[in-house]
């Protein structure tokens, strides 16, 4: 804003906006702009918990996209099995064998007619029917009690456990035992309860429900879990019957009955008779229910598969009949080599595949040759049927042929390799293997566990079990091969040593999700759900098979690897098959103790072998891969380079392991509110609390592992790891890896404490706690998941509300708040920290103070103690807690403390003082430091509320009473002192803004603070009002020099000020700068005064120019506003005024004033401008009909300009002007006006007579035109006139004539000479008289 007068000059190139700047300068400016934009658009930093939550959600999403069954058993054939003699890779593991109790054998020895056996594996019970008696026992108990059913007098032919129809029986009857005899079918109720050893105890109840079936010889029974319907068939025909039952008899229906759904009319009443050749009767040998599609499948003795659709009206419709020849025909379209599938082949069993597992595949049929035929049922137009529509056709979808004939290590020990067979390319499909030729029966459980029982001719009474399961980890990996592997399975052989009688799933049915996509993902639930176990009943006992998870296989492979070389081979095999991310996740799980194995005493125990754990740790660290940074690809420069780093597979493995631990709770709600039947209110957990504890323990082990190995894990080692990097790329990659892994570590801590907090919540009478919450918080809590609790601000806020509610409830109940809060802090520190304990204690003091009364000493003691505690933990105070405390303090007139606490909270919320730097840099928009200021301002707003409360209190209680300061007045003084002495520049700045926003400028000028000047100086650059306040503040403090500087700056500023306002500022500045005061440096004051005077001179010229142009009719009406806008504002440089306005407009008087202001001393320019001035004035006068004569206008212009110039010798050169005017008068104004009007101008301007006389004398002697010859007398006349006036002036008083004798002699001699020049008669007389008087005085 400084101004320096300069010599006028013509406009130069580049002086206009349109003139291009120098390229380097332009590029520099562009770079600055780009840098500014980059700063503005830099993305906000994601919090570690949010970043980790994103990684966990991505892992969960990946695992939810696990391929559905139909995608890897599509149309075609396969025969891929991975079989190894090495037990580490076996898909199942035999846990133990539970022998049949001796008491059962005792009963068996008494059998007279028949004996059948079976399993109720879901209830860990087995059963045996001996003649007419049924016995059940808990096969897991070493000495079980027998539960018997002996009410029937007929031989038992079949037993089945089904789920009852809803509403028929009391809730304790959880299952129905369907007992078929040679005469009737009986329903027996069964209830269960958990035994002390962890198993199930069952009890049987007579229901008095039965229906006759004599002659049917029932041997097949099946029930629907969804509807409770019971179907059966017998050895007498292939008809399908239904056992119907209801709670009580009705008019047209008995309590129990049977319905034949296949035979029609009289055929149901007459026996089937055969004449002639004996025909083999077709029988139903198996029934399978699929409730997901409302289908019942039957398998006949002739290998015909029939499909029945269960309608909602209790009907059962046969919709598809698929004989063996059609099945073989379908297979023939897939392959011509079907040696194992001929008309002589039998289908030995069928298993349903639910709609949750596969959308297209419905059924798998196992043949006597070991082939598994997957079939799909379709409705009209080939679409998949739904549960409300019946299918119309069934086609073969896929055929899985048996493994190679030499794959049985139990028969071919010498031919087996100890390693798992690997396939780098798709192997040839073997369609002729006879490895499973003598298959007797088979069963399949979701998501693909297949058990095939094979009889060998050498051992006809002994079954070999071929068990296989999907290689889930391999299926989950993206197929990078051109020809993807179809249905990869791991398999192994087990010798049962006896004949299998029944098979059952001991654990619940498997399902990772409720839809086909993701359903079979065993990896996702391997730590979240019980590991599937299958019970196989033989005539010697119950064999328990356990599905081996990938973590178990990996741990076993490490144990059997043998040395470093063996470990490397095994791990590399895992990496090739499953990828580094899965290997890292599995190794981490093993290292954290998640792997199980069977001990030598047939117990299932965690693998705690230090060698195995160490090998797993080594695998996790060494095979975790490296982070990737695509350095050569194009990046958005507004995004930090670290954001482009792709973390290592190790990070993916950790995230995957965490997601698998949290899978069941991550999206689950924390609370579920319910109403009891009696109208009571209860809150239950969506997740079993015991499961929460297990997850917390697993996370704690993970945390301990990462902490213990922090220095070895790349990305967790800390800054010291940067010493090993060799390039910027490696450094950025390592930083990205560290950020990602650190986020996961933070999340682990957060979830552990979150679970602990939930457990505390349920321990602390959660119903009472929730009822104290506000309605909004309560609704938010209903929708809050564990993810939200641990990773979002809302979760943190609700946790604080719950902690506060718990503490308040304990306070109401009389409990010690400190004890309760301390217990919360120990169990879940991040939700209730040590600072929270102090806050709760302080709040209790505040409440006690309020109870004691505002004016009591006890109240003040409590309040002071609360203030002391709260100031210690000000940074941990939430805004709600601060608002509550300030509200209490104000109500108790604890004003000064309120301000102290608010200031402490503001400073703690911005300990780096980022808000101050943001203010000092002009409050740039979009800057994140602005958030720090907003956080502070919330505290300051509370202070302003306190100040208003203090002002209102003044009306209720005066400051002084009888000349004494009242208590209220003293408190108000304390408030004022706290505000004035607050050492918080950000607060002071915001306070001054508040003063101005509320029209309290006078109050602002009374502030005694070192920050007020800084504030006004900072804001003065943006606002005139603040600048006015600044110079007013300076004048009030008698700092006139500083006030003058501010006013000078205002006059020079870019604010939208009129020219008159700027001249006013300059006038005031000159006055203030002229005021002397002790302590002001004289040179500084002089410099300011000089600058003010110079600028004021320019401003006055510009003001004159404005006035001229405003009335100049040469400017058009359209142009005039723009010209006024340009001139009636900022003070323009003299160059602009001269070149743009004054000279083009012929304002020559202003041009001369500009010469003066710019100290332009070129005599020729000055003389030419004066000449132009005279000519312009003369022309203007002549063009005016009414007005002064030309000579009068010229005279007025010269007289006015001479006054403004102060007779400057340079700008008002008398020696040039006098001859110029005389020539003008002679040439243009001859005989116009007084004879001496030219000389009178100079005399009026008080030009020294001596100067005028000398100039005329020179003109007389120079004999220059037009004053030559007779015209010299004109100059002579003027000499006489000036001499006469000089004489009269010099003798006035006691002065000597002409200032001295020498001058008098010279004048006398000159007068003598001019008398000879032909003076006018009057001038001649004056000359003679004057000369006489001079001579008289000289004597």
């Amino acid at each position: 804003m400084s101004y320096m007068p300069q010599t006028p000059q013509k406009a130069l190139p580049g002086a206009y906006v349109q003139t291009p700047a120098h390229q380097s300068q332009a590029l520099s400016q562009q770079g600055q702009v780009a840098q500014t934009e980059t700063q503005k658009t830099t993305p906000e930093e994601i919090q570690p918990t949010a970043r980790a939550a994103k990684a966990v959600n991505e892992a969960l999403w990946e695992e939810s996209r696990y391929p559905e069954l139909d995608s890897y058993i599509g149309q075609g054939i396969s025969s891929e099995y991975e079989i190894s003699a090495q037990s580490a890779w076996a898909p199942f593991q035999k846990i133990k064998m539970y022998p049949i109790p001796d008491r059962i054998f005792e009963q068996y020895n008494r059998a007279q007619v028949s004996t059948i056996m079976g399993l109720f594996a879901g209830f860990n019970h087995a059963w045996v029917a001996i003649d007419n008696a049924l016995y059940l026992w808990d096969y897991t108990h070493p000495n079980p009690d027998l539960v018997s059913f002996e009410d029937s007098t007929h031989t038992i032919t079949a037993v089945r456990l089904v789920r009852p129809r809803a509403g028929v029986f009391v809730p304790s009857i959880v299952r129905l035992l369907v007992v078929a005899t040679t005469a009737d079918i009986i329903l027996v109720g069964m209830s269960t309860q958990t035994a002390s050893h962890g198993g199930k105890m069952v009890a049987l109840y007579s229901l008095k429900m039965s229906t006759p079936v004599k002659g049917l010889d029932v041997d097949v029974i099946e029930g629907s879990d969804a509807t409770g319907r019971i179907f059966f068939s017998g050895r007498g025909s292939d008809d399908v019957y239904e056992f119907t039952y209801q709670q009580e008899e009705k008019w047209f229906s008995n309590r129990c009955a049977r319905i034949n759904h296949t035979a029609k009319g009289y055929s149901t009443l007459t026996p089937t008779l055969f004449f002639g050749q004996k025909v083999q009767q077709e029988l139903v040998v198996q029934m399978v229910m699929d409730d997901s599609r409302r289908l019942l499948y039957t398998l006949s003795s002739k290998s015909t598969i029939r499909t029945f659709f269960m309608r909602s009206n209790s009907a059962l419709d046969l919709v598809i009949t698929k004989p063996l020849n059609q099945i073989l025909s379908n297979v023939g379209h897939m392959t011509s080599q079907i040696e194992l599938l001929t008309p002589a082949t039998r289908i030995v069993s069928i298993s349903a595949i639910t709609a949750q597992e596969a959308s297209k595949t419905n059924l798998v049929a196992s043949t006597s040759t070991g082939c598994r035929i997957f079939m799909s049922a379709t409705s009209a137009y080939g679409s998949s049927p739904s549960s409300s529509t019946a299918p119309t056709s069934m086609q073969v979808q896929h055929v899985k042929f048996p493994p190679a004939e030499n794959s049985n290590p139990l028969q071919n020990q010498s031919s087996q390799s100890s390693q798992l067979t690997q396939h780098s390319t798709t192997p040839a499909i073997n369609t002729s293997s006879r490895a499973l030729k003598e298959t007797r029966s088979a069963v399949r459980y979701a998501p693909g566990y297949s058990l095939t029982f094979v009889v060998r001719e050498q051992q006809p009474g002994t079954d070999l079990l071929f068990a296989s399961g999907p290689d889930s980890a391999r299926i989950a990996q993206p197929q990078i091969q051109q020809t993807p592997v179809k249905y990869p399975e791991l398999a192994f052989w087990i010798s049962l040593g006896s004949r299998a009688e029944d098979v059952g799933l001991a654990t619940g049915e498997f399902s990772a999700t409720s839809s086909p996509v993701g359903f079979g993902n065993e990896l996702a639930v391997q730590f979240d759900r019980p590991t599937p176990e299958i019970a196989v009943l033989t005539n010697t006992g119950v064999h328990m098979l356990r599905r081996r998870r990938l973590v178990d296989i990996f741990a076993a492979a490490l144990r059997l690897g043998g040395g470093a070389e063996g470990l490397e081979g095994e791990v590399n095999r895992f990496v090739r098959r499953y990828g580094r991310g899965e290997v890292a996740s599995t190794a981490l799980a093993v290292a954290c103790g998640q792997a199980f194995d069977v001990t030598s005493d047939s117990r299932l125990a965690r693998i705690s072998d230090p060698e195995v754990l160490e090998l797993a740790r080594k695998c996790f660290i060494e095979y975790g891969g490296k982070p990737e940074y695509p350095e050569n690809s194009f990046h958005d420069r507004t995004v930090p380079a670290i954001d482009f780093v792709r973390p290592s597979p190790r990070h993916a493995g950790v995230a995957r392991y965490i997601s698998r631990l949290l899978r069941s709770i991550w999206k689950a709600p924390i609370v579920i509110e319910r109403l009891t039947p009696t109208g009571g209110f209860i809150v239950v957990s969506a997740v079993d609390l015991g499961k929460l504890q297990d997850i917390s323990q697993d996370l704690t082990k993970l945390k301990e592992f990462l902490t213990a190995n922090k220095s070895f894990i790349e990305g967790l080692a800390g800054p010291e790891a940067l010493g090993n990097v060799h390039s910027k790329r490696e450094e950025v990659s390592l930083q990205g890896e560290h950020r990602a892994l650190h986020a996961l570590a933070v999340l682990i801590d957060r979830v552990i404490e979150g679970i602990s907090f939930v457990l505390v919540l349920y321990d602390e009478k959660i119903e009472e706690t929730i009822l104290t919450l506000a309605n909004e918080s309560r609704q938010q809590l209903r929708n809050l998941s564990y993810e939200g609790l641990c990773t979002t601000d809302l979760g943190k806020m609700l946790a604080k509300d719950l902690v506060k509610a718990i503490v308040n409830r304990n306070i109401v109940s009389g409990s010690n708040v400190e004890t309760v809060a301390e217990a919360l802090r120990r169990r879940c520190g991040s939700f209730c920290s040590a600072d929270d304990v102090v806050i709760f204690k302080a709040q209790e003091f505040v409440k006690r103070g309020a109870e004691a009364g505002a004016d009591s000493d006890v109240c003040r003691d409590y309040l002071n103690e609360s203030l002391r505690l709260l100031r210690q933990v000000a940074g941990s105070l939430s805004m709600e807690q601060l608002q509550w405390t300030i509200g209490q303090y104000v109500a108790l007139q604890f004003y000064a403390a309120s301000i102290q606490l608010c200031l402490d909270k503001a400073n703690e919320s911005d300990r780096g003082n980022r808000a101050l730097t943001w203010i000092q840099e002009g409050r740039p928009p979009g800057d994140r430091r602005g958030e720090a200021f907003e956080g502070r301002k919330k505290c300051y707003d509370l202070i302003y509320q306190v100040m208003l409360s203090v002002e209102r209190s003044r009306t209720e209680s005066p400051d002084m009473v009888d000349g004494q300061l009242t208590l209220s007045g003293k408190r108000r003084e304390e408030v004022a002192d706290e505000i004035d002495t607050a050492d918080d520049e950000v607060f002071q700045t915001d306070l001054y803004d508040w003063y101005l926003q509320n029209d309290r400028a006078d109050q602002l000028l009374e502030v005694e603070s070192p920050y007020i000047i800084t504030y006004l100086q900072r804001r003065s650059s943006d606002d005139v009002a603040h600048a006015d306040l600044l110079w007013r503040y300076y004048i009030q403090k008698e700092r006139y020099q500083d006030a003058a500087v501010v006013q000078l700056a205002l006059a020079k500023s870019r604010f939208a000020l009129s020219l008159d306002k700027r001249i006013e500022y300059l006038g005031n500045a000159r006055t203030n700068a002229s005021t002397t005061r002790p302590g002001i440096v004289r040179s500084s004051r002089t410099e300011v005064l000089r600058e003010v005077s110079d600028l004021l001179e320019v401003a006055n010229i510009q003001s004159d120019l404005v006035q001229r142009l405003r009335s100049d009719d040469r400017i058009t009406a359209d142009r005039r506003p723009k010209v006024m806008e340009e001139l009636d504002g900022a003070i323009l440089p003299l160059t602009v005024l001269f070149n743009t306005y004054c000279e083009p407009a012929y304002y020559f008087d202003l041009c001369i004033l500009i010469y003066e202001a710019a100290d332009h001393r070129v005599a020729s320019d000055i003389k030419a401008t004066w000449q132009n001035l005279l000519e312009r004035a003369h022309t203007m006068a002549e063009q005016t009909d009414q007005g002064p004569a030309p000579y009068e206008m010229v005279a007025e212009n010269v007289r006015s300009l001479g006054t403004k110039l102060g007779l400057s010798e340079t700008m008002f050169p008398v020696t040039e002007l006098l001859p110029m005017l005389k020539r003008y008068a002679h040439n243009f104004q001859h005989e116009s006006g007084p004879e001496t009007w030219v000389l009178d101008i100079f005399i009026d301007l008080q030009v020294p007579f001596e100067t005028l006389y000398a100039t005329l004398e020179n003109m007389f002697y120079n004999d220059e035109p037009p004053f030559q010859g007779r015209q010299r007398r004109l100059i002579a006349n003027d000499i006489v006139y000036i001499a006469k006036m000089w004489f009269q002036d010099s003798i006035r008083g006691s002065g000597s004539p002409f200032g001295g004798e020498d001058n008098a002699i010279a004048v006398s001699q000159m007068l003598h000479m001019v008398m000879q020049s032909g003076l006018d008669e009057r001038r001649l007389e004056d000359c003679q008289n004057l000369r006489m008087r001079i001579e008289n005085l000289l004597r």
Side-chain angles (χ1 to χ4, degrees), residues 781-811:
L781 181 61
R782 293 190 193 105
N783 301 328
L784 185 67
S785 64
Y786 284 85
E787 176 190 10
L789 174 68
C790 301
T791 64
T792 65
D793 292 335
L794 175 62
K796 186 175 182 180
M797 180 194 72
L798 290 176
K800 293 288 185 183
D801 290 344
L802 288 168
V803 169
K804 185 176 180 180
I806 292 173
V807 172
N808 289 338
R809 187 179 60 78
N810 281 273
I811 292 175

Side-chain angles (χ1 to χ4, degrees), residues 229-463:
R229 298 174 69 177
I230 301 172
F231 303 97
F232 62 91
S233 185
R235 298 186 183 94
S237 69
D238 63 344
D239 292 333
V240 175
Y241 297 86
E242 181 177 357
F243 185 136
T244 63
Y245 58 95
Q246 56 190 10
Q247 195 170 23
E248 58 186 12
E249 292 187 1
K250 297 182 180 180
W251 283 101
F252 301 103
S253 60
N254 295 326
R255 192 179 180 199
C256 299
R258 71 174 187 182
I259 300 174
N260 188 337
H261 287 290
T262 53
K264 303 298 182 183
Y266 68 89
S267 63
T268 62
L269 304 176
T270 60
T272 303
L273 301 177
F274 300 98
F275 301 94
Q277 185 179 1
K278 184 177 181 181
V279 179
Q280 183 179 1
Q281 176 71 26
E282 185 176 16
L283 309 174
V284 175
V285 297
Q286 186 182 3
M287 288 184 180
V288 175
M289 181 65 65
D290 181 2
D291 280 319
S292 65
R293 297 186 176 93
R294 298 171 62 181
L295 298 178
L296 173 67
Y297 304 103
T298 65
L299 174 65
S300 75
S301 57
K302 293 184 177 181
S303 298
T304 297
I305 299 174
R306 293 180 174 86
T307 304
F308 296 85
F309 181 69
M310 294 189 298
R311 299 195 181 275
S312 57
N313 59 357
S314 299
L316 185 70
D317 297 341
L318 176 62
V319 292
I320 301 173
T321 299
K322 193 74 173 179
L324 179 62
N325 61 341
Q326 290 186 14
I327 296 175
L328 297 179
S329 176
N330 291 160
V331 175
H333 291 88
M334 299 179 185
T335 177
S336 59
Q337 300 176 0
I338 50 174
E339 299 178 17
L340 300 179
L341 296 174
T342 66
T345 303
R346 292 180 299 106
I347 296 178
V348 297
S349 65
I350 56 175
S351 297
I353 298 177
T354 64
Q356 289 77 21
E357 184 177 0
S359 57
K360 295 180 180 179
T361 308
N362 292 50
L363 189 73
V364 57
S366 299
T367 70
S368 57
T369 55
C371 297
R372 282 176 287 162
I373 304 173
F374 294 86
M375 291 183 283
S376 63
T378 57
S379 59
Y381 307 106
S383 61
S384 298
S386 64
S387 60
S388 60
T389 59
T392 57
S393 64
M394 180 175 287
Q395 302 296 326
V396 174
Q397 179 80 7
H398 186 88
V399 179
K400 188 65 179 281
F401 286 92
E405 293 185 41
N406 61 350
S407 63
N408 187 351
L410 302 178
Q411 295 181 347
N412 304 287
Q413 298 289 345
S414 60
S415 63
Q416 292 301 305
S417 167
S418 63
Q419 300 297 330
L420 188 66
T421 304
Q422 299 294 320
H423 302 291
S424 57
T425 60
T426 303
I429 298 176
N430 187 347
T431 61
S432 59
S433 172
R434 305 172 67 83
L436 303 178
K437 182 181 179 182
E438 301 298 328
T439 296
R440 184 174 63 83
S441 64
V443 66
R444 179 192 183 275
Y445 299 108
Y449 309 146
S450 295
L451 278 68
T452 304
F453 298 92
V454 182
V455 179
R456 294 306 182 194
E457 295 179 358
Q458 301 86 345
Q459 298 175 320
T462 302
D463 286 341

Side-chain angles (χ1 to χ4, degrees), residues 1103 1105-1112 1115 1120 1124 1128 1147:
S1103 179
L1105 177 61
V1106 171
Q1107 298 304 322
R1108 294 277 186 89
L1109 292 174
R1110 186 172 284 123
S1111 59
D1112 196 328
I1115 304 178
R1120 192 183 307 279
M1124 291 300 102
D1128 193 13
Y1147 298 151

Side-chain angles (χ1 to χ4, degrees), residues 871 895-907 913 916 936 939-940 943-944 947 973-992 995 1007-1012 1015:
R871 295 189 72 178
Y895 301 124
S898 301
I899 296 173
Q900 291 176 5
L901 184 58
C902 289
L903 291 175
D904 287 345
K905 171 59 179 175
N907 289 326
N913 221 358
L916 179 59
R936 280 176 169 265
C939 303
Y940 301 152
I943 294 178
Y944 306 146
M947 293 168 61
E973 283 190 355
E974 292 174 351
V975 170
D977 184 62
E978 285 291 337
I979 292 174
D980 290 340
T981 59
D983 189 20
D984 184 347
E985 186 173 352
V986 181
F987 165 66
Q988 295 289 354
T989 300
D990 193 63
L991 174 65
Y992 305 149
Y995 280 149
V1007 171
E1008 295 288 344
S1009 171
Y1011 300 115
I1012 180 63
Y1015 166 79

Side-chain angles (χ1 to χ4, degrees), residues 661-698:
L661 293 178
L662 302 180
R663 176 184 176 85
S664 60
I665 71 170
W666 188 244
K667 300 293 183 181
I670 292 176
V671 298
I672 297 177
E673 297 181 4
R674 291 178 180 169
L675 295 177
T676 63
T678 59
F681 172 74
I682 60 171
V683 177
V684 298
S685 174
V687 182
D688 182 74
L689 298 183
K691 185 175 183 62
L692 286 178
Q693 293 175 340
D694 293 340
I695 294 174
S696 179
Q697 292 174 2
D698 290 338

Side-chain angles (χ1 to χ4, degrees), residues 602-733:
S602 299
R603 288 185 305 105
L604 190 65
R606 291 183 184 270
I607 295 179
S608 58
D609 185 351
E611 182 179 355
V612 175
L613 299 183
E614 175 60 24
L615 291 176
R617 184 192 74 88
K618 184 178 179 182
C619 290
F620 174 75
I621 294 173
E622 296 183 0
Y623 291 87
K626 299 284 185 180
E628 296 181 6
Y629 173 57
E631 187 178 26
N632 296 327
S633 61
F634 174 78
H635 295 329
D636 184 354
R637 297 302 179 185
T638 62
V639 180
I642 192 174
D643 287 348
F644 291 96
V645 174
R646 180 184 300 167
S648 67
R650 181 186 298 106
H651 167 268
V654 177
R656 194 172 297 173
Y657 179 57
I658 295 174
S659 71
R660 290 169 180 173
L661 293 178
L662 302 180
R663 176 184 176 85
S664 60
I665 71 170
W666 188 244
K667 300 293 183 181
I670 292 176
V671 298
I672 297 177
E673 297 181 4
R674 291 178 180 169
L675 295 177
T676 63
T678 59
F681 172 74
I682 60 171
V683 177
V684 298
S685 174
V687 182
D688 182 74
L689 298 183
K691 185 175 183 62
L692 286 178
Q693 293 175 340
D694 293 340
I695 294 174
S696 179
Q697 292 174 2
D698 290 338
L699 288 173
T700 301
K701 292 178 182 178
L702 173 60
K703 174 184 175 181
E704 292 171 351
F705 173 83
L706 295 177
T707 302
N709 296 277
K710 183 177 181 180
S711 58
F712 304 104
I713 300 174
E714 185 176 309
L716 284 181
E720 57 270 15
L722 292 174
N724 299 325
V725 300
H726 301 91
S727 65
K728 181 65 177 179
R729 179 178 182 180
E730 291 183 8
E731 180 181 351
V732 174
S733 299

Side-chain angles (χ1 to χ4, degrees), residues 1156 1161 1201-1202 1204-1214 1217:
E1156 173 69 13
R1161 298 176 179 274
L1201 191 54
K1204 292 178 180 179
L1205 294 174
L1207 300 181
S1208 168
E1209 293 182 0
T1210 306
M1211 298 302 133
F1212 195 81
V1214 176
L1217 290 177

Side-chain angles (χ1 to χ4, degrees), residues 883 915 1071 1085:
Q883 290 172 345
T1071 301
R1085 183 175 67 86

